[in-house]
Amino acid sequence: MKDAILQHFADDWVSFFEGYLGELKPAGKQYRALCPLHNDHHPSLDVDPTRGRWHCKVCDIGGDAFELVEKMFHLDFPAALQNIGEKFGITANRQKPKASMPGKLVKRYTYQDSNGSTLFCKNRYEPKGFSICRPDGHGGYL
């Protein structure tokens, strides 16, 4: 989901920040908005539209777009991704990833917890190569 969001806003993050902060005012190469993290009366939150980053001069905190949503709504990272996806209609591409290692899969080593649930797998390829995968919760692997 993170990759889909990054691709969606790759060229310009202004619409993302306007969606969460309301009106952005130009301030040189950046934009400025009221900070939603404190009772702001004068715009103190700077937004970099090319990098998708923000910083509040009053709170003295900042980060990327995902961290803003996490802080605004007190969410963890996966919930923030879901919030952004729902707000902007972005869905994750749930296709099974292609093997990153060239060659033939020779052996899959499966590591399980004490209950027998798969934690992760290690794939061995010929010619020599390894990759790690983990269950995606839908019967496949990431």
Side-chain angles (χ1 to χ4, degrees):
M1 177 67 98
K2 180 180 178 183
D3 292 335
I5 293 168
L6 289 172
Q7 184 177 8
H8 185 82
F9 294 105
D11 296 328
D12 189 13
W13 287 87
V14 172
S15 61
F16 174 90
F17 286 105
E18 283 180 333
Y20 283 101
L21 302 172
E23 183 183 0
L24 297 177
K25 297 180 181 178
K29 292 181 180 180
Q30 298 188 346
Y31 289 84
R32 204 164 271 156
L34 294 174
C35 179
L37 305 176
H38 71 272
N39 190 11
D40 203 359
H41 299 291
H42 302 287
S44 62
L45 188 132
D46 292 328
V47 171
D48 182 338
T50 58
R51 296 180 358 164
R53 299 197 58 83
W54 60 278
H55 181 264
C56 176
K57 293 180 274 193
V58 174
C59 298
D60 195 28
I61 58 172
D64 63 18
F66 305 108
E67 290 173 291
L68 178 66
V69 175
E70 289 175 39
K71 291 187 184 312
M72 282 179 68
F73 301 106
H74 308 287
L75 301 173
D76 62 4
F77 184 71
L81 291 177
Q82 183 177 355
N83 180 293
I84 295 166
E86 289 172 0
K87 184 172 188 73
F88 293 101
I90 302 169
T91 57
N93 184 357
R94 289 243 175 231
Q95 293 178 352
K96 191 173 181 180
K98 296 178 182 174
S100 60
M101 291 291 157
K104 178 182 170 188
L105 177 63
V106 176
K107 178 86 172 158
R108 174 174 280 158
Y109 303 94
T110 304
Y111 298 86
Q112 300 176 334
D113 64 11
S114 59
N115 298 325
S117 299
T118 300
L119 298 172
F120 68 96
C121 299
K122 190 173 193 178
N123 300 317
R124 189 178 73 144
Y125 297 91
E126 284 296 333
K128 189 176 180 180
F130 289 91
S131 70
I132 302 291
C133 62
R134 60 183 167 85
D136 65 2
H138 303 288
Y141 292 96
L142 299 173

